[in-house]
């Protein structure tokens, strides 16, 4: 089962982040790439600019590995791609794999993009439809538009749901009213 | 007569020194530094070294001062003190300590008594410094000892008292802020800081007091008590000041008429004294009789009168007369020459040459208030309008009052002045007595005020908030309406979790004193609690404009972003606050809380531990550690830390609430309920306690009581979805299907996303267990899921009910049933 995305993306993927339900956990992970051109590496992939990108420099498939220190619940992974700027460098088919380490990865999602412009969010769910829990995620760029050899990836975000465990027993609930929220924390 | 080259030297030196002190007093630091450098090159002795170091230090360059003093390694007390101060500024605590008392590790280590004797009048400040070193290096008992000694020597050092309270030491303000002199006739002890050098330059700028205060008439009274030897150390002998009196009227007259004071005269006098004092000295080029000179210089002030009458006064330390705010009610006889209290921080105890004229210096401008004469009658009542010259007072005075009282004072002064002037010369002995008397009175007034403040502050550090508020509200109005006092009261309200009142008081502080920075970080947290985004961002902006190098500004900014859920940015700003001030324990706490929110528990733990390292009595940090353990489900550790926090702040209902929750999680429900009852009794407005009580009652199967509690809670907090959710659960357990469904649907209404997804699950479960009991009429608002087929037509989800949320004031059930259709 693969997800097909095409054209300009208009959904606002940051809505949940702003409302506090999702949180970017990329900075809790170690990032590595299969290959990159000097000056176009992890820094540029992970910075906040849409104009900086990772440019690969080796054979396909190009891999971006995300390794966490602890088993992390992942809600989704987001890409920013811009066909208009990258043309043949824009990824076309992406495979997302998860597992414990390099020799333990299985593909959980496949994504096919056609001339994408903007942010795309791919939820990662396991067979019970829950966000996956994993130590490592690998993003594999299988092919590019117009059969390009190298790829440009502008931004990748990886997000985790906040407070995924059931808190009602522990009493640290999220209150909706201001009065109770006021009393719930000592700060 | 050939002039002794030494004397020539001194002649050269003195005007330059005078000029340097003048520059320092007028904040012309580059000028002062340059001159001091030239002077030091000309005559490298302790005093010039000290002068140069002072120039650097005051110009805000402690590292330079430190290197300079280290290089020249002078054993004079002033230099040692300044070196220690520089070391503390640049965080070299070990060196500071070794300078003051000798190395910790060596055998020779002065005891505190030796230190006291060695530094004489400066000892109070030395102890204060030492205590700060000890408290930072975890030697709390020694720190406490040093603070107590410093207060004993000088009860007006408020910060020592403050630090004592913060260290958790129980001290009695009445004991501390006490005038230790038994006899009313003895002049008050003075402080070892001579104003020599401030005085001499000031003589040339006559009546600087005028300029400082924007008052028309000068303070003639000031000059009457020039160079008072006001020794607070009981040890010091009483220095007769009669010798001064003859000179006083001259200068007074001069001041009054705004004429050029006889600076020539004063200077000559000073020179005479210099000759007398310093002739044994020979600070000629290249020859430095270091050891002989300095002790004498310092010991001189405390000995009995030296040869020249004036020299004595010059050696004595000066205090600006303590002015009394005079109202018409008061006894005007006492008004004429109110003593002005002054601590001029120049440690040159010689060459107090032109003290008579020179009392007003810039530092005194805010301190020219005095004791009301009604002190005699009722010392501690509100009528005692004492104004205080402790450093914090500078912040607190509202200018209008200052000027008004000065003018009042001056009116009366003017009237009495001419009358008294004549009597001066004739009336020398009684003059002395009157002066002494007034000094005592003003001291008594200050001390009374300090006692009142001390009691209040101590109650606050004990987190005994109600008492603190009471004590502070007993203060006279003009003291009450100052930034410091109001923010202490606001802090008391904050600790009681009464954020609304705290916010109002903080607002008042901002209005009265927009430059007041001290407790503004707590204000920002208050606004954070109340979720007032606009005010918080305004505050953050104002504070950063006010002072970018203050941790409070960055704490406020961090809080602002935290409220906007931008936790990464908040973390960045809290880290900035820590960069600016690595000893700000509150910034550590706030940073820790942010890490907890982003679930980086190890970093959070490190932050809270750092906060506790800096300030062991910061209960919010202990709470933070407890919170982390709570989230990690280590309930016994959590309870331990919550209890620790509670032991510091026993009246916090929020903390008790947490303790109760944790107890319940450890299956100790009975104690949990007891704790909650206590919490509710302390703070009946804390709805959260009631909520937790209800949930615990529900958990232990006391459903009816739980329901009762929840009904009350519904009235208190109508918009809380979890309340309805809990009621729904209770009803479900009791088997009241309709009611439970109603409540679940209300809960979903209030919280459509179900931030606690458990609401949906609970409803799910409910449907899966009682499939037959579906009541279609009430099922309409259940949301997007559809476990039972026949809900399809009605199930449009919560979206439709969002627009017209249930009206909670009226009969809810009737409304709800209408809406569902």
């Amino acid at each position: 089962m693969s997800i097909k995305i095409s054209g300009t993306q208009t959904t606002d993927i940051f809505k949940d982040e702003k409302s506090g339900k999702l949180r970017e956990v990329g900075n809790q992970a170690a990032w590595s790439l299969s290959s990159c051109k000097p000056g176009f590496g992890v820094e540029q992939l992970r910075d906040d600019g849409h104009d900086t990108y990772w440019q690969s420099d080796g054979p396909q498939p190009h891999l971006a590995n995300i390794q966490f220190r602890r088993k992390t619940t992942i809600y989704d992974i987001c890409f920013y791609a811009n066909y208009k700027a990258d043309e043949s460098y824009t990824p076309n088919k992406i495979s997302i794999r998860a597992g414990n380490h390099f020799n333990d990865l299985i593909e959980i999602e496949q994504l096919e993009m056609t001339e994408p412009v903007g942010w795309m969010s791919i939820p990662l769910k396991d067979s019970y439809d829950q966000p996956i829990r994993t130590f490592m995620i690998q993003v594999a760029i299988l092919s590019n538009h117009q059969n390009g050899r190298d790829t440009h990836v502008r931004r990748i975000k990886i997000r985790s749901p906040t407070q995924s465990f059931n808190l009602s027993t522990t009493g640290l609930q999220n209150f909706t009213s201001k009065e109770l929220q006021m009393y719930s924390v000592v700060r | 007569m050939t002039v002794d080259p030494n004397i020539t030297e001194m002649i050269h030196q003195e005007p330059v020194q005078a000029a340097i002190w003048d520059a320092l007093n007028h904040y012309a630091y580059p000028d002062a530094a340059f001159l001091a450098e030239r002077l030091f090159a000309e005559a490298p002795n302790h005093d010039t070294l000290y002068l140069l170091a002072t120039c650097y230090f005051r110009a805000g360059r402690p590292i330079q001062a430190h290197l300079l003093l280290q290089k020249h390694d002078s054993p004079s007390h002033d230099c040692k003190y300044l070196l220690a101060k520089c070391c503390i500024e640049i965080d070299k605590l070990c060196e500071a300590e070794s300078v003051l008392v000798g190395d910790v590790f060596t055998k020779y280590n002065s005891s505190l008594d030796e230190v006291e004797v060695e530094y004489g009048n400066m000892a109070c400040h030395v102890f204060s410094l030492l205590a700060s070193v000890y408290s930072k290096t975890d030697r709390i008992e020694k720190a406490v000892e040093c603070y107590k000694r410093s207060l004993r020597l000088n009860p007006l050092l408020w910060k020592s008292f403050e630090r004592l309270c913060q260290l958790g030491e129980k001290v009695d303000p009445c004991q501390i802020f006490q005038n230790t002199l038994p006899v009313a006739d003895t002049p008050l002890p003075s402080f070892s800081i001579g104003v020599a050098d401030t005085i001499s330059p000031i003589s040339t700028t006559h009546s600087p007091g005028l300029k400082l205060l924007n008052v028309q008439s000068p303070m003639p009274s000031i000059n009457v008590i020039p160079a008072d030897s006001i020794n607070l150390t009981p040890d010091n002998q009483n220095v007769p000041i009669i010798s001064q009196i003859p000179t006083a009227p001259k200068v007074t007259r001069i001041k009054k008429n705004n004429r050029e004071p006889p600076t020539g005269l004063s200077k000559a006098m000073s020179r005479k004294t210099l000759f007398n004092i310093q002739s044994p000295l020979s600070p000629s080029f290249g020859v430095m009789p270091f050891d002989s000179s300095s002790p004498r210089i310092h010991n001189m002030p405390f000995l009995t009168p030296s040869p020249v009458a004036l020299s004595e006064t010059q050696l004595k330390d000066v205090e600006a007369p303590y002015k009394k705010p005079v109202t018409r009610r008061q006894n005007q006889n006492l008004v004429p020459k109110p003593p002005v209290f002054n601590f001029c921080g120049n440690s040159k105890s010689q060459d107090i040459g032109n003290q008579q004229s020179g009392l007003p210096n810039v530092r005194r401008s805010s301190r020219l208030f005095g004791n009301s004469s009604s002190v005699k009658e009722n010392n501690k009542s509100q009528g005692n309008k004492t104004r205080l010259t402790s450093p914090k007072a500078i912040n607190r005075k509202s200018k209008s009052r200052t000027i008004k009282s000065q003018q009042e004072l001056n009116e009366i002064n003017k009237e009495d002045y001419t009358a008294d002037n004549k009597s001066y010369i004739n009336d020398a002995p009684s003059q002395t007595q009157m002066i002494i008397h007034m000094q005592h009175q003003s001291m008594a007034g200050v001390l009374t005020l300090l006692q009142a403040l001390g009691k209040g502050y101590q109650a606050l550090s004990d987190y005994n908030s109600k008492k603190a508020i009471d004590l502070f509200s007993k203060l006279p109005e003009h003291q009450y309406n100052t930034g410091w006092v109001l923010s202490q009261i606001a802090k008391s309200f904050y600790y009681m979790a009464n954020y609304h009142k705290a916010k109002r008081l903080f607002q008042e502080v901002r209005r009265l004193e927009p430059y007041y920075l001290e407790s503004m970080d707590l204000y920002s947290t208050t606004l954070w609690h109340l979720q007032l985004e606009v005010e918080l961002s305004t505050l953050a902006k104002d504070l950063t404009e006010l002072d970018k190098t203050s941790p409070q500004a960055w704490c406020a900014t961090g809080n602002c972003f935290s409220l906007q859920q931008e936790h990464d940015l908040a973390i960045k700003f809290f880290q900035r606050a820590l960069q600016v001030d690595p000893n700000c324990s509150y910034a550590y706490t706030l940073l820790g809380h942010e890490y907890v929110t982003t679930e980086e528990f190890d970093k959070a733990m490190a932050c809270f531990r750092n906060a506790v390292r800096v300030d062991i009595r910061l209960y919010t940090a202990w709470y933070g550690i407890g919170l982390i353990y709570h989230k990690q489900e280590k309930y016994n550790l959590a309870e331990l830390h919550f209890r620790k926090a509670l032991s510091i702040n026993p009246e916090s209902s929020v903390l008790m609430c947490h303790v109760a929750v944790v107890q319940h999680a450890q299956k100790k429900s009975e104690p949990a309920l007891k704790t909650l009852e206590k919490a509710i009794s302390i703070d009946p407005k804390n709805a959260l306690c009631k909520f937790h009580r209800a949930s615990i009652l529900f958990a232990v199967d006391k459903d009816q009581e739980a329901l009762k509690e929840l009904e009350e809670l519904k009235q208190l907090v109508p918009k809380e979805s979890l309340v309805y959710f809990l009621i729904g659960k209770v009803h479900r357990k009791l088997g009241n299907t309709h009611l439970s469904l109603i409540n679940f649907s209300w809960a979903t209404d209030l919280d459509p996303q179900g931030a606690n997804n458990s609401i949906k699950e609970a409803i799910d479960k409910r449907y899966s267990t009682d499939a037959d009991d579906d009541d279609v009429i009430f099922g309409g608002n259940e949301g997007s899921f559809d476990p039972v087929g026949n809900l399809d037509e009605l199930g449009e989800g919560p979206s439709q009910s969002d627009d017209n949320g249930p009206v909670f004031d009226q009969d809810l059930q009737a409304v709800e049933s209408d809406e569902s259709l």
Side-chain angles (χ1 to χ4, degrees):
Chain A
M1 49 136 199
S2 73
I3 301 177
K4 289 189 179 7
I5 293 177
S6 66
T8 313
Q9 304 301 309
T10 49
T11 48
D12 175 18
I13 62 156
F14 294 109
K15 191 162 49 99
D16 281 338
E17 257 181 90
K18 287 204 183 82
S19 68
K21 295 214 192 58
L22 290 180
R23 198 179 52 242
E24 231 246 280
V25 288
N27 45 9
Q28 289 175 16
W31 292 71
S32 53
L33 306 168
S34 60
S35 61
C36 77
K37 195 171 129 163
F40 293 89
V42 178
E43 277 285 328
Q44 286 68 33
L45 176 65
R46 289 290 299 159
D47 70 8
D48 281 336
H50 288 186
D51 46 350
T52 55
Y53 49 82
W54 160 41
Q55 176 166 333
S56 61
D57 193 19
Q60 284 180 350
H62 308 296
L63 309 167
N65 309 303
I66 308 165
Q67 290 169 288
F68 295 96
R69 251 190 305 145
R70 351 163 225 268
K71 205 161 188 175
T72 316
T73 316
I74 308 292
Y75 178 81
D76 71 352
I77 186 164
C78 308
F79 297 99
Y80 180 84
N82 190 352
Y83 178 75
K84 298 204 177 80
D86 292 326
E87 303 241 340
S88 68
Y89 283 94
T90 320
N92 185 11
K93 231 199 246 155
I94 299 184
S95 159
I96 300 177
R97 303 133 182 206
N100 294 321
H101 51 79
F102 279 101
N103 298 330
D104 192 9
L105 297 170
I106 43 171
E107 184 181 275
I108 45 170
E109 199 67 69
Q110 237 203 42
L111 170 67
E112 210 172 291
M113 314 198 288
T114 328
E115 304 190 7
V117 176
W119 279 101
M120 293 153 277
S121 153
I122 295 98
L124 304 175
K125 295 242 180 342
D126 60 8
S127 43
Y128 301 103
D129 230 14
Q130 294 295 318
I132 57 165
R133 289 183 50 101
T134 175
F135 278 100
M136 175 165 174
I137 298 229
Q138 188 181 72
V139 175
I141 317 274
L142 304 175
S143 66
N144 295 317
H145 282 78
Q146 300 156 23
N147 285 325
R149 191 166 65 106
D150 286 323
T151 183
H152 283 176
V153 179
R154 292 191 170 253
R155 287 186 72 184
I156 301 185
K157 272 165 103 65
I158 185 151
R159 303 188 306 183
S160 174
T162 52
Q163 291 183 331
S164 47
F165 52 100
N166 185 5
L167 291 171
S168 51
T169 50
T170 61
L172 290 173
Q173 285 127 313
N174 268 341
F175 295 102
T176 53
S177 69
K178 218 168 72 159
E179 291 84 17
L180 289 192
Q181 275 176 351
M182 225 164 66
Y183 285 112
S184 64
V185 187
V186 172
R187 190 169 160 110
Chain B
M1 171 178 112
T2 52
V3 182
D4 185 352
N6 299 333
I7 295 171
T8 325
E9 211 31 68
M10 283 176 275
I11 296 176
H12 291 157
Q13 206 172 311
E14 287 322 310
V16 185
Q17 281 190 337
I20 296 175
W21 282 114
D22 180 47
L24 280 178
N25 285 328
H26 290 89
Y27 311 108
Y29 296 125
D31 286 312
F34 181 77
L35 282 175
E37 283 169 4
R38 301 302 114 229
L39 183 60
F40 185 62
E42 281 285 309
N45 59 30
H46 296 302
D47 307 306
T48 49
L49 174 67
Y50 176 71
L51 193 49
L52 181 55
T54 310
C55 292
Y56 286 147
F57 188 75
R58 286 197 199 181
R61 301 186 276 173
I63 303 181
Q64 275 185 283
H66 173 249
L67 282 175
L68 172 74
L69 287 168
Q70 225 181 16
K71 178 158 185 257
H72 293 277
D73 204 18
S74 146
S76 89
H77 292 130
D78 301 321
C79 294
K80 285 213 297 192
Y81 176 76
L82 188 55
L83 178 56
K85 195 118 180 84
C86 295
C87 291
I88 293 181
E89 286 285 314
I90 57 180
D91 230 8
K92 291 196 176 159
L93 300 175
C94 183
E95 196 179 329
E97 189 181 344
S98 61
V99 161
L100 290 175
V101 289
D103 215 349
V104 182
F105 299 110
T106 56
K107 285 236 177 94
Y108 179 67
N109 202 342
S110 321
S111 76
L112 297 180
D113 290 318
E114 289 170 21
V115 169
E116 192 170 334
V117 166
E118 192 187 337
Y119 285 93
N121 275 353
M122 221 186 347
C124 52
H125 298 284
V126 172
F127 280 131
S128 190
L129 266 190
L130 261 183
S132 69
V133 171
Y134 286 142
S135 62
K136 284 189 195 164
T137 51
D138 212 25
R139 286 173 282 180
I140 308 287
E141 299 86 30
K142 281 191 113 168
V144 165
E145 170 76 31
C146 285
Y147 278 129
K148 284 189 174 153
R149 273 176 186 253
S150 119
L151 279 173
R152 215 178 332 134
L153 292 172
N154 180 0
L156 294 181
L157 288 181
W158 172 263
K159 285 291 168 189
S160 301
F161 175 75
E162 212 177 72
R163 283 295 294 151
L164 267 180
C165 289
Q166 282 170 1
L167 288 174
E169 189 66 24
K170 303 263 186 281
V171 284
D172 183 12
C174 298
Q175 282 269 316
I176 291 195
F177 296 120
Q178 225 181 43
N179 198 343
T180 45
L181 281 189
V183 183
D185 278 339
T186 52
L188 292 169
S190 72
F191 296 94
S192 63
I193 328 272
V195 193
D197 315 281
T198 44
I199 304 306
S200 28
I202 288 166
S203 63
T204 52
T205 63
H206 44 89
S207 58
L210 278 178
K211 298 173 197 157
L212 296 166
L213 292 164
N214 300 328
V215 186
Q216 283 72 33
S217 54
M219 316 297 168
S221 45
I222 297 167
N223 307 307
V224 175
I225 313 178
D228 283 332
S229 22
I230 319 241
N231 295 318
L232 262 179
T233 2
D235 314 326
N236 292 339
Q237 301 165 14
N238 299 327
V239 183
I241 53 177
I242 295 175
S243 49
Q244 307 166 14
I245 305 301
T247 59
K250 280 188 224 149
V251 187
T252 328
R253 211 170 33 229
I254 291 161
K255 281 272 166 169
K256 170 80 172 172
N257 301 332
N258 242 359
R259 267 203 309 251
E260 175 83 43
T263 43
L265 173 64
S266 338
K267 278 201 182 144
M269 285 194 286
S270 68
R271 260 177 243 138
K272 251 200 302 183
T273 17
L274 279 173
F275 298 163
N276 290 325
I277 303 166
Q278 293 182 357
S279 43
L281 268 179
S282 45
S284 49
F285 292 132
V287 178
M288 298 178 229
F290 277 6
D291 296 334
S292 50
S293 53
S294 32
R296 192 178 310 123
I297 292 169
H298 287 280
N299 290 335
M300 282 233 218
F302 317 122
L303 298 178
T304 40
S306 43
V308 176
L310 262 175
S311 68
E312 207 160 88
T313 62
Q314 294 166 359
L315 293 170
K316 290 323 171 297
D317 309 316
V318 180
E319 289 165 333
Y322 199 76
K323 257 197 146 6
K324 305 177 187 181
V326 176
T327 63
R328 278 147 205 96
R329 284 177 273 144
Q330 291 168 8
N331 193 349
Q332 297 195 349
N333 294 340
L334 290 177
V335 166
K337 288 101 204 165
V340 177
F341 220 78
N342 181 28
F343 309 131
C344 301
N346 310 322
S347 70
K348 272 196 83 64
S349 46
Q350 62 199 15
D351 187 24
I352 309 190
N354 302 313
Q355 289 169 354
Q356 292 84 347
S357 47
L359 285 172
N361 63 43
V362 293
R363 254 171 268 117
R364 277 191 317 139
S365 58
S366 58
R367 299 185 200 158
L368 289 164
F369 306 104
N371 213 343
S372 81
S373 53
S374 54
V375 163
K376 275 199 298 190
E377 292 105 44
N378 38 352
N379 228 353
K380 301 198 181 169
S381 72
Q382 291 240 346
N384 176 16
K385 303 220 179 290
T386 323
R387 297 196 195 177
L388 160 64
T389 61
S390 66
K392 70 174 175 348
I394 298 174
N395 278 338
R396 293 191 287 132
K397 294 295 161 283
S398 39
K399 283 266 168 161
S400 53
R401 282 186 217 276
T402 314
I403 296 177
K404 183 167 74 136
S405 71
Q406 298 304 349
Q407 285 171 346
E408 282 178 284
L409 193 51
N410 288 318
E411 282 167 29
I412 301 171
N413 274 344
K414 264 189 261 183
E415 296 159 35
D416 291 344
Y417 174 75
T418 39
D420 286 293
N421 194 14
K422 293 170 198 146
S423 63
Y424 272 39
I425 307 172
N426 307 329
D427 218 358
S430 64
Q431 205 67 23
T432 325
Q433 291 200 340
M434 219 161 62
I435 292 163
I436 297 171
H437 181 60
M438 285 187 292
Q439 286 172 5
H440 274 271
Q441 273 191 340
S442 55
M443 266 298 277
V446 180
L447 291 172
T448 318
L449 177 64
L450 283 182
Q451 272 179 19
L453 291 172
K455 285 199 203 118
Y457 188 77
Q458 194 167 60
L460 181 64
S461 348
D462 277 342
Y463 295 98
N464 195 345
S465 311
K466 290 200 181 82
K467 189 166 154 218
I469 295 171
D470 279 328
L471 287 167
F472 277 125
S473 29
K474 291 208 182 92
L475 286 173
E477 198 189 315
H478 55 271
Q479 289 290 347
Y480 184 85
N481 284 334
T482 52
W484 190 85
V485 175
L486 284 176
S487 58
Q488 301 309 310
I489 306 180
K491 278 207 277 193
S492 318
F493 279 121
Y494 179 85
Y495 294 140
M496 292 199 304
N498 189 344
Y499 301 122
H500 293 281
K501 281 220 180 91
K503 167 185 165 260
R504 250 185 285 130
L505 280 166
F506 276 127
Q507 260 179 341
E508 184 66 17
V509 173
R510 291 289 298 156
R511 187 184 68 80
L512 282 175
E513 293 184 18
Y515 45 84
Y516 188 78
L517 200 51
E518 271 301 308
S519 313
M520 287 302 122
D521 45 2
L522 216 56
Y523 181 31
S524 70
T525 317
T526 319
L527 292 173
W528 183 93
H529 275 289
L530 295 169
Q531 299 186 13
L532 294 166
E533 296 175 2
V534 177
E535 272 120 8
L536 184 48
S537 52
T538 324
L539 177 71
K541 177 170 162 298
D542 286 339
L543 289 179
T544 42
E545 270 173 9
L546 181 59
D547 185 3
K548 284 208 166 56
T549 56
S550 69
Q552 290 88 358
W554 299 115
C555 284
T557 323
N559 267 330
C560 184
F561 281 105
S562 165
L563 188 57
Q564 311 280 345
Q565 311 289 340
E566 304 248 9
H567 296 290
D568 293 321
L569 276 174
I571 287 175
K572 187 172 106 166
F573 284 114
F574 290 132
Q575 280 170 340
R576 203 181 279 193
L578 284 170
Q579 274 180 323
V580 156
D581 179 9
N583 283 329
C584 180
S585 57
Y586 195 55
Y588 276 120
T589 316
L590 290 174
L591 184 57
H593 278 293
E594 287 307 306
Y595 279 133
V596 167
T597 327
T598 53
E599 305 209 353
E600 293 173 82
F601 292 134
D602 29 15
K603 287 193 196 157
M605 186 65 93
C607 285
F608 287 127
R609 293 218 164 110
N610 267 319
V612 169
R613 169 183 63 85
V614 173
D615 181 6
I616 201 166
R617 294 203 52 184
L618 191 64
Y619 75 99
T620 38
W622 289 110
Y623 162 83
I625 303 179
L627 186 66
I628 295 178
Y629 285 130
H630 188 174
K631 291 214 170 189
Q632 294 175 332
E633 304 195 7
K634 298 179 187 164
Y635 296 119
N636 45 354
L637 283 170
E639 185 179 347
L640 186 71
H641 288 96
F642 285 146
R643 281 201 185 281
K644 171 86 187 161
L646 203 54
S647 70
I648 298 174
N649 182 358
E651 310 254 319
S652 168
S653 53
V654 184
L655 279 178
M656 283 193 219
C657 218
H658 279 270
V659 170
V661 168
V662 170
Q663 278 173 325
H664 175 63
Q666 289 176 65
K667 313 279 184 231
K668 296 193 285 192
S669 307
E670 279 309 306
L673 283 171
K674 284 208 190 66
T675 322
L676 279 175
E677 261 157 40
K678 203 162 136 220
I680 294 179
S681 67
I682 288 183
D683 186 6
K685 279 192 282 170
N686 189 343
L688 191 63
C689 294
K690 297 174 90 67
F691 178 79
H692 281 301
R693 187 151 90 168
S695 50
I696 295 178
L697 286 169
F698 172 59
V700 294
D701 293 329
K702 294 194 184 141
D703 303 321
Q704 290 306 326
E705 291 169 30
L707 260 184
K708 194 162 63 87
E709 197 76 34
L710 286 167
E711 291 301 315
E712 290 171 31
L713 204 53
K714 224 163 57 170
Q715 302 307 317
L716 269 180
V717 192
K719 298 268 173 129
E720 178 55 56
S721 81
L722 285 171
V723 170
Y724 294 102
F725 180 50
L726 195 54
I727 300 180
K729 278 206 286 196
V730 175
H731 280 299
R732 184 177 59 172
K733 192 149 155 228
L734 292 173
N736 306 334
T737 332
H738 312 305
L739 289 170
S740 71
L741 280 175
I742 294 170
N743 282 293
F744 283 144
S745 51
W746 284 335
T748 341
D749 272 341
L750 281 171
D751 187 17
Q753 260 92 28
N756 303 302
N757 288 316
S758 35
I759 299 182
K760 271 199 205 163
E761 287 156 20
I763 304 175
D764 245 330
K765 248 193 285 187
R766 182 253 167 279
Y767 270 101
S768 57
T769 51
D770 318 302
D772 298 337
D773 274 358
D774 286 348
D775 197 338
V776 173
I777 302 175
F778 293 109
N781 284 336
E782 240 53 79
S784 48
F785 69 86
D786 183 12
V788 180
N790 55 4
L791 277 186
D792 270 341
E793 50 268 33
L794 296 168
E796 263 196 317
S799 49
Q800 82 186 86
S801 48
D802 271 353
D803 310 321
N804 41 352
V807 181
F808 292 107
D809 302 340
Q810 305 158 19
D811 185 5
L812 298 159
Q813 292 180 327
V815 172
E816 184 65 356
S817 54
D818 285 340
E819 283 180 330
S820 63
L821 298 171

